[in-house]
């Protein structure tokens, strides 16, 4: 049961990362080349953030740090939700 929470956090982070990348891709439909370039950088950054969170979760889980693994795995999702909220407020 201890390993369920970190694995669930990794699955949530993978799903949120996919949703964030698709959201960025959908936002570039009628954009200028400069805006598309910026969106590609955002997509790359979000993908790296999600991958780093899942990788850190796996490494901490293998080290036996279940609580830290869950925290490291869910942190990118929290950051992406904050980015989404700020983008909605500003935009």
């Amino acid at each position: 049961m201890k390993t369920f929470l970190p694995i669930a956090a990794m699955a949530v982070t993978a799903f949120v990362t996919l949703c964030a990348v698709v959201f960025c891709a959908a936002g570039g439909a009628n954009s200028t080349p400069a805006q598309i370039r910026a969106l590609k950088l955002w997509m790359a950054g979000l993908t790296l953030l999600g991958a780093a969170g899942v990788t850190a979760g796996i490494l901490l889980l293998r080290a036996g740090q279940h609580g830290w693994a869950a925290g490291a795995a869910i942190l990118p999702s929290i950051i992406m939700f904050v980015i989404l909220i700020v983008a909605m407020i500003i935009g």
Side-chain angles (χ1 to χ4, degrees):
M1 191 65 173
K2 286 195 296 188
T3 59
F4 175 74
L5 189 61
I7 292 173
M10 289 179 224
V12 167
T13 295
F15 179 72
V16 169
T17 301
L18 179 65
C19 288
V21 169
V22 170
F23 183 74
C24 286
N30 293 323
S31 299
T32 64
Q35 291 170 332
I36 291 174
R37 198 169 321 121
L39 281 173
K40 285 182 181 179
L41 288 173
W42 272 102
M43 289 167 48
L46 292 173
T47 302
L48 287 174
L49 179 65
V54 171
T55 302
I58 290 170
L59 293 175
L60 287 168
L61 189 62
R62 289 187 46 103
Q65 302 291 328
H66 301 289
W68 285 104
I74 203 69
L75 185 64
S77 296
I78 296 169
I79 293 170
M80 288 182 208
F81 278 125
V82 169
I83 291 170
L84 176 67
I85 290 168
V86 170
M88 294 292 218
I89 291 172
I90 292 175

